[in-house]
Amino acid sequence: INTDIISNWNDIVGVQFSSMIVPVKISFPFKERINGILYVRVKVQSVLAIAQYQFPTIIDRINTYFGYKAVERIKIYV
């Protein structure tokens, strides 16, 4: 799923979000492949608030793409 998210990021979230937010990694609860935490980097700090506001939409797009609740939340990777 990590490589799928990274290689298909533009298709999953669209150009609007992919130009601001870059996926870094996803971690799942022990022995699970659902309800993961997606770690992302925001390309420009000035759009951080806008990006965080859009996280629910991005999570919905990711889960729709995979057809199950792959991601439960997003965190900024530092």
Side-chain angles (χ1 to χ4, degrees), residues 5 9 23 25-26 36-40 62 71 73-75:
I5 286 178
W9 187 244
K25 68 177 183 174
I26 188 169
I37 299 171
L38 176 64
Y39 292 87
V40 297
I62 292 168
V71 174
R73 59 189 171 142
I74 297 176
K75 286 188 173 184

Side-chain angles (χ1 to χ4, degrees), residues 2 5-6 9 21-28 36-42 55 71 73-78:
N2 276 334
I5 286 178
I6 292 169
W9 187 244
I21 303 164
V22 178
V24 177
K25 68 177 183 174
I26 188 169
S27 64
F28 294 98
I37 299 171
L38 176 64
Y39 292 87
V40 297
R41 281 204 171 101
V42 177
F55 283 176
V71 174
R73 59 189 171 142
I74 297 176
K75 286 188 173 184
I76 303 295
Y77 189 81
V78 252

Side-chain angles (χ1 to χ4, degrees), residues 1-6 9 12-13 21-29 32-40 52 54-76:
I1 197 168
N2 276 334
T3 57
D4 284 342
I5 286 178
I6 292 169
W9 187 244
I12 295 170
V13 300
I21 303 164
V22 178
V24 177
K25 68 177 183 174
I26 188 169
S27 64
F28 294 98
E32 297 282 338
R33 290 316 241 181
I34 60 171
N35 298 323
I37 299 171
L38 176 64
Y39 292 87
V40 297
Q52 288 176 316
Q54 296 298 330
F55 283 176
T57 301
I58 293 170
I59 290 169
D60 185 54
R61 289 183 183 188
I62 292 168
N63 292 337
T64 299
Y65 179 84
F66 287 104
Y68 64 96
K69 193 175 177 185
V71 174
E72 182 176 39
R73 59 189 171 142
I74 297 176
K75 286 188 173 184
I76 303 295

